[in-house]
């Protein structure tokens, strides 16, 4: 049995024994600080941890974190050992599909090239020792504006990608892995119940025809009311979707759980897992901004030779990256950054920092900030990690994961 299925099976057994439902917390590893904080938080809460990494973040070309799949697995092992974390750690690809890597979309790769690129990414992940792959071919940049991709195409591409991974894995004699399918995005075409059901039945038939009747996703992504700009989880929808997928042996996975106002409802509705990502980039930014305030106080006291100007540097780098344009609202498209409201500018900078944390200028600014504060006896990295951990803790608590590792043993 694959590692993720084994964890889900154990959690289901524990729920039957204790009556306490649980949802797995998945962190998006958009910086080394987030990875480090996640292991520290998981260790302290005595709970499993799950990393959902997009191909924009971690891929064969390094992604915006600078990490390849093999390097990420190595980093995770090192960080786990650093805090003596011995509980379950799941490493997964998030949103693996054609054109979901920004480079493919910007350069308008053909369908064939985009699919081949995704297959190479999957191969690298499998060889590196990933535990799960989210297969998500629900976007097609060549579908006319205003239309959605044909669900039959989504099924065909999903089966093609899973079949490729299984052939590659088995030929290499590598361990079984788990799968996640679907998307919560409206443009993905799985937003309504009828299409959702057609996808499930079509996938079941397609995998059987491909000789993969024994392969089935443990997670199916459901649109449960949340997106990057909405923080209200819909329990009624979640229960309805859960009732649809449990007969297949799957669980609903929630995305965009960032800052959700009612996270305690997730386990009560049978949600298998939930992803949180940009929220922790904002946590990291806020901690650095707080440290900069102290740095400026020290400067006024004549205790700093050179200021880091870290928030100014981060804002400029985010603007120059142009990746903030991806997250503009409809009425904002075409505007320059300075034409946006101050609130929107700040949100785009805070969430967009994940794209530029590893740029040389950002690294130098951070090291300058840290060096200034260390001379005054501060431990700036501890402040940053502590802020991220604090924001992770609420999910460990809301998802009923505290001390789960003891029960798993």
């Amino acid at each position: 049995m694959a590692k993720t299925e084994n964890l889900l099976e154990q959690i289901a057994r524990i729920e039957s024994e204790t009556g306490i439902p649980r949802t797995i917390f998945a962190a998006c590893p958009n910086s080394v600080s987030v990875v480090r904080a996640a292991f520290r938080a998981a260790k302290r809460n005595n709970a499993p941890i799950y990393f959902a990494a997009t191909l924009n973040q971690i891929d064969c070309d390094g992604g915006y974190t600078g990490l390849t799949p093999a390097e990420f697995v190595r980093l995770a092992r090192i960080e786990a050992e650093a805090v003596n974390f011995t509980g379950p750690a799941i490493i997964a690809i998030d949103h693996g599909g054609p054109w979901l890597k920004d480079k493919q979309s910007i350069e308008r790769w053909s369908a064939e090239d985009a699919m081949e690129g995704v297959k190479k990414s999957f191969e690298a992940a499998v060889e590196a020792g990933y535990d799960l792959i989210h297969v998500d071919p629900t976007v097609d940049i060549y579908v006319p504006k205003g239309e959605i991709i044909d669900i039959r195409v989504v099924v065909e591409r999903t089966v093609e990608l899973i079949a490729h991974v299984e052939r590659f894995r088995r030929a290499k004699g590598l361990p079984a892995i788990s799968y996640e399918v679907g998307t919560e995005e409206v443009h993905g075409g799985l937003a309504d119940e009828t299409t959702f059901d057609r996808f499930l039945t079509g996938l079941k038939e397609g995998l059987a025809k491909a000789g993969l009747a024994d392969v089935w996703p443990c997670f199916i992504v459901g649109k449960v009311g949340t997106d990057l700009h909405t923080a209200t989880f819909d329990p009624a929808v979640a229960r309805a979707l859960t009732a649809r997928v449990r007969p297949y042996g799957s669980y609903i996975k929630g995305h965009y759980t960032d800052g959700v106002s009612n996270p305690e409802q997730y386990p009560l509705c049978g949600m298998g897992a939930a992803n949180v990502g940009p929220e922790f980039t904002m946590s990291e930014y806020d901690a650095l901004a707080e440290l900069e305030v102290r740095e400026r106080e020290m400067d006024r006291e004549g205790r700093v030779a050179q200021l880091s100007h870290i928030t100014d540097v981060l804002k400029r780098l985010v603007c120059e990256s142009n990746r903030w344009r991806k997250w503009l609202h409809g009425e904002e498209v075409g505007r320059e950054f300075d034409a946006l409201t101050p609130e929107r500018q700040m949100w785009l900078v805070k969430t967009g920092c994940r794209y530029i944390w590893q740029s040389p200028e950002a690294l130098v600014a951070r090291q300058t900030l840290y060096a200034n504060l260390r001379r005054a006896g501060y431990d700036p990295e501890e402040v940053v990690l502590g802020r991220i951990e604090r924001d992770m803790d609420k999910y460990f608590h809301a998802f009923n994961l505290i001390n789960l590792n003891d029960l798993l043993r």
Side-chain angles (χ1 to χ4, degrees):
M1 181 184 294
K3 184 177 178 181
T4 312
E5 274 87 349
N6 182 50
L7 177 59
L8 287 166
E9 187 176 271
Q10 289 192 69
I11 290 174
R13 171 184 57 79
I14 293 167
E15 180 179 348
S16 69
E17 295 171 354
T18 64
I20 300 174
R22 292 171 170 86
T23 298
I24 299 172
F25 161 56
C28 192
N30 46 45
S31 75
V32 173
S33 295
V34 168
V35 175
R36 186 167 296 153
F39 276 113
R40 286 168 41 131
K43 171 71 174 180
R44 183 164 31 77
N45 288 295
N46 194 21
I49 187 63
Y50 179 132
F51 292 103
T54 70
L55 298 181
N56 282 317
Q57 288 164 347
I58 297 165
D59 199 5
C60 306
D61 61 1
Y64 62 69
T65 62
L67 296 168
T68 65
E71 289 168 341
F72 177 46
V73 171
R74 195 177 310 126
L75 173 67
R77 184 183 70 248
I78 291 169
E79 294 298 340
E81 291 173 351
V83 294
N84 193 29
F85 177 79
T86 58
I90 302 297
I91 295 182
I93 283 181
D94 185 36
H95 287 297
W99 303 292
L100 288 173
K101 186 176 173 70
D102 291 344
K103 177 180 176 67
Q104 293 186 1
S105 180
I106 293 169
E107 296 179 359
R108 298 191 66 80
W109 288 22
S110 68
E112 181 180 358
D113 288 344
M115 286 289 282
E116 286 304 308
V118 172
K119 289 174 183 177
K120 285 183 172 60
S121 298
F122 287 0
E123 289 175 5
V126 171
E127 287 193 301
Y130 276 45
D131 305 293
L132 179 145
I133 293 176
H134 177 198
V135 179
D136 181 13
T138 54
V139 169
D140 190 325
I141 64 172
Y142 294 105
V143 170
K145 188 175 181 179
E147 298 181 20
I148 59 174
I149 188 172
D150 189 323
I151 199 62
R152 291 170 296 183
V153 175
V154 174
V155 170
E156 289 170 4
R157 289 176 178 169
T158 301
V159 171
E160 179 182 344
L161 290 171
I162 291 177
H164 178 83
V165 173
E166 287 300 302
R167 283 194 301 270
F168 179 83
R169 178 187 68 77
R170 295 175 188 187
K172 294 278 188 176
L174 297 169
I177 66 166
S178 304
Y179 294 97
E180 174 181 339
V181 298
T183 181
E184 77 294 337
E185 302 279 11
V186 173
H187 63 242
L190 298 183
D192 66 86
E193 296 177 359
T194 302
T195 307
F196 190 86
D197 290 339
R198 285 176 59 204
F199 173 72
L200 292 180
T201 56
L203 183 60
K204 192 78 172 176
E205 293 170 1
L207 288 173
K209 288 179 182 177
L212 297 171
D214 60 329
V215 176
W216 184 253
C218 60
F219 292 126
I220 297 172
V221 182
K223 187 172 177 60
V224 290
T226 59
D227 58 35
L228 199 56
H229 307 290
T230 306
T232 303
F233 171 72
D234 192 327
V237 171
R239 289 192 184 94
L241 291 177
T242 294
R244 276 182 160 79
V245 304
R246 286 305 293 133
Y248 288 89
S250 301
Y251 291 85
I252 291 294
K253 176 92 168 291
H255 286 210
Y256 292 128
T257 310
D258 307 77
V260 70
S261 60
N262 52 342
E264 71 285 348
Q265 290 293 321
Y266 278 66
L268 297 176
C269 298
M271 295 288 291
N275 292 358
V276 186
E279 178 179 350
F280 303 136
T281 297
M282 299 178 79
S283 306
E284 190 166 353
Y285 177 94
D286 286 340
L288 292 170
E290 290 174 7
L291 289 170
E292 187 182 30
V293 171
R294 179 55 185 144
E295 180 192 40
R296 291 186 181 280
E297 291 174 352
M298 291 168 57
D299 181 55
R300 287 193 291 273
E301 297 165 359
R303 301 163 65 193
V304 173
Q306 180 184 35
L307 287 169
S308 66
H309 299 289
I310 190 163
T311 55
D312 290 338
V313 170
L314 295 175
K315 178 179 179 179
R316 177 170 55 78
L317 291 174
V318 169
C319 289
E320 290 174 355
S321 76
N322 277 320
R323 299 184 85 155
W324 54 273
R325 296 183 187 275
K326 177 180 178 181
W327 304 109
L328 291 176
H329 295 154
E331 69 279 6
E332 296 172 335
V333 174
R335 294 186 193 174
E336 290 306 310
F337 189 85
D338 291 341
L340 303 173
T341 66
E343 293 77 17
R344 284 291 289 150
Q345 289 185 34
M346 181 54 69
W347 185 90
L348 290 167
V349 169
K350 285 186 177 185
T351 59
C353 278
R354 64 189 188 272
Y355 299 123
I356 52 87
W357 285 135
Q358 291 302 109
S359 71
E361 284 189 80
L363 291 172
V364 168
R366 186 188 294 246
Q367 289 310 310
T368 301
L369 175 69
Y370 282 13
N372 287 335
L373 291 166
R374 284 183 181 125
R375 291 190 193 100
Y378 288 89
D379 187 342
E381 184 179 28
E382 192 66 28
V383 172
V384 172
L385 295 178
R387 180 61 177 263
I388 300 170
E389 288 180 62
R390 184 201 70 178
D391 292 335
M392 288 180 171
D393 281 350
K394 66 183 177 185
Y395 296 105
F396 283 110
H397 282 270
F399 293 168
N400 297 326
L401 298 174
I402 310 303
N403 291 325
L404 176 58
N405 287 350
D406 288 341
L407 300 178
L408 294 173
R409 296 194 187 97

